[in-house]
Amino acid sequence: GENVEQHPSTLSVQEGDSAVIKCTYSDSASNYFPWYKQELGKGPQLIIDIRSNVGEKKDQRIAVTLNKTAKHFSLHITETQPEDSAVYFCAALDSWGTDKLIFGTGTRLQVFP
Amino acid sequence: GAVVSQHPSRVICKSGTSVKIECRSLDFQATTMFWYRQFPKQSLMLMATSNEGSKATYEQGVEKDKFLINHASLTLSTLTVTSAHPEDSSFYICSARSGTSGDEQFFGPGTRLTVL
């Protein structure tokens, strides 16, 4: 089955700097990769997703890139703000028709003013 | 659109009691709902997948007799933790997927369960 690894586990940046979180997956047949932001005590919120037929997707300050050959995808946040501080999870959709999302271990992002 | 609610948001109960958590899709029909458990500073662990009108599919290691899941309608799924014990204390999160949302899952706000 699918396995997703995520790095780094913690990331501290200064306000205004960029933050990059990277994930790798094991199943080359996976074709859907969402990113979630989870604030303390709340459920995950989808912030961006990408499908395997696209190499990059951008939404304002957030972008995701996908390298199918290397089986890795990354989240890029530019011009970070203190309100970006949260835990970010990547995920990959299991390709065996189960509809299951396989989550990475999470990255705790802290943006210092 | 695509709002998922959970009730209650937090619950404290005594060891040995049963607790029911509701997950509702407010503005769409959820053909599939998922239940996750999240321990502090850890990732989401899928417990089970439920499709409306059929039995839930449980992940390996999840006791189906302890975590009862019912998906009786296209907008409601319930998770009942039977005979809860302190080790069942966790953050329980549901998500829902509609037939028209593609692969996207919409997550609820979570339920904090504390078993004394």
Side-chain angles (χ1 to χ4, degrees):
Chain A
E2 178 70 277
N3 182 52
V4 178
E5 295 188 357
Q6 182 172 348
H7 299 281
S9 57
T10 61
L11 179 59
S12 296
V13 300
Q14 204 73 32
E15 182 178 3
D17 288 348
S18 296
V20 180
I21 303 170
K22 298 181 179 182
C23 288
T24 59
Y25 60 99
S26 60
D27 184 356
S28 58
S30 291
N31 60 10
Y32 176 65
F33 307 93
W35 284 90
Y36 292 90
K37 174 183 181 182
Q38 186 179 28
E39 297 178 342
L40 191 62
K42 297 183 178 180
Q45 294 296 310
L46 179 71
I47 56 173
I48 197 166
D49 57 12
I50 192 167
R51 298 189 182 278
S52 58
N53 59 346
V54 175
E56 184 175 359
K57 184 176 178 180
K58 190 175 182 180
D59 183 5
Q60 299 184 2
R61 296 187 296 110
I62 295 173
V64 56
T65 58
L66 171 66
N67 183 325
K68 287 174 56 180
T69 302
K71 290 188 286 187
H72 66 69
F73 56 113
S74 301
L75 178 70
H76 305 253
I77 306 175
T78 59
E79 301 172 31
T80 54
Q81 302 166 2
E83 50 266 37
D84 293 329
S85 297
V87 178
Y88 291 81
F89 292 98
C90 64
L93 184 68
D94 186 85
S95 68
W96 292 92
T98 63
D99 295 335
K100 295 193 297 186
L101 285 175
I102 310 301
F103 282 84
T105 48
T107 297
R108 183 172 299 276
L109 173 65
Q110 287 185 302
V111 181
F112 292 97
Chain B
V3 178
V4 175
S5 70
Q6 280 184 242
H7 179 80
S9 57
R10 57 179 61 205
V11 56
I12 301 172
C13 69
K14 293 182 179 180
S15 185
T17 61
S18 293
V19 175
K20 180 184 283 190
I21 302 170
E22 292 186 350
C23 176
R24 293 182 185 272
S25 56
L26 299 185
D27 51 2
F28 67 100
Q29 293 185 325
T31 52
T32 307
M33 285 186 167
F34 304 85
W35 286 96
Y36 296 84
R37 181 167 49 182
Q38 186 178 35
F39 292 108
K41 296 187 178 182
Q42 293 190 19
S43 188
L44 285 76
M45 294 172 49
L46 180 66
M47 300 176 67
T49 303
S50 75
N51 292 292
E52 186 263 341
S54 60
K55 290 183 178 181
T57 301
Y58 289 81
E59 293 299 298
Q60 193 172 6
V62 178
E63 300 175 56
K64 60 180 66 177
D65 294 332
K66 181 170 181 62
F67 298 99
L68 302 179
I69 291 172
N70 185 283
H71 191 166
S73 78
L74 284 171
T75 59
L76 173 65
S77 176
T78 60
L79 167 67
T80 302
V81 184
T82 61
S83 186
H85 292 285
E87 56 265 30
D88 298 323
S89 298
S90 189
F91 194 50
Y92 291 87
I93 310 169
C94 71
S95 71
R97 180 173 169 272
S98 76
T100 57
S101 66
D103 297 314
E104 186 173 353
Q105 290 185 24
F106 305 98
F107 283 81
T111 296
R112 173 76 56 195
L113 171 63
T114 303
V115 185
L116 303 176

